[in-house]
Amino acid sequence: AAAMAGEALSLVPDVQIDGDGVFKYVLVRVRGAGALAKDVVRGHGWAEYHADLFERTAEELARHGLSCECLGGGRLSHRPEERKIHVYGYSVGFGRADHAVTTEKLQAEYPDYEITWADEGY
């Protein structure tokens, strides 16, 4: 079961965000069987609240036998024409995500982007 959970975990994309615009994001710790876990970033414009993002993510993961917890949230400004993403702000419900972790995840996904973050702003 641990091998299957590890495989399920490895199939979960580290980053899923909209291709353009300003939108909310959550940093989510996904857990497989045993001590396996990884943090993933989810950000989409359709979400009115950070909880919407988290709930949809949790539902998707549960179908694969994975559990998760929300580590916090914020906002992303994604400007593909400038190859820039700015991470900032916080979630009223979940608190501020560790933007440094989020930035690291985004940088791995978008290696040719300039990715910045700030604790200021909402």
Side-chain angles (χ1 to χ4, degrees), residues 2 6-7 13 20 27 38 40 50 53-54 56 66 70 73 83-84 87 94-95 99 101-102 114-115 119 122:
E7 190 178 331
D20 193 6
L27 185 62
K38 77 174 184 173
V40 301
H50 288 92
L53 287 169
F54 178 65
R56 176 156 324 168
L66 300 168
C70 188
R83 293 196 182 294
K84 286 185 179 175
V87 184
F94 296 119
H99 295 330
V101 171
T102 302
E114 179 190 334
I115 299 175
D119 278 339
Y122 173 71

Side-chain angles (χ1 to χ4, degrees), residues 50-71:
H50 288 92
D52 299 337
L53 287 169
F54 178 65
E55 283 163 19
R56 176 156 324 168
T57 302
E59 282 168 18
E60 287 172 8
L61 293 169
R63 288 201 288 270
H64 301 287
L66 300 168
S67 63
C68 62
E69 66 177 303
C70 188
L71 301 177

Side-chain angles (χ1 to χ4, degrees), residues 14-15 17 25-28 39-42 71-76 85-88 96-110 115-117:
D14 283 7
V15 173
I17 63 170
Y25 90 90
V26 288
L27 185 62
V28 176
D39 297 345
V40 301
V41 176
R42 297 291 181 265
L71 301 177
R75 288 174 184 262
L76 296 177
I85 299 176
H86 184 62
V87 184
Y88 66 100
R96 177 182 289 121
D98 185 337
H99 295 330
V101 171
T102 302
T103 300
E104 206 175 288
K105 296 277 176 193
L106 291 169
Q107 197 70 70
E109 191 73 21
Y110 296 93
I115 299 175
T116 55
W117 65 274

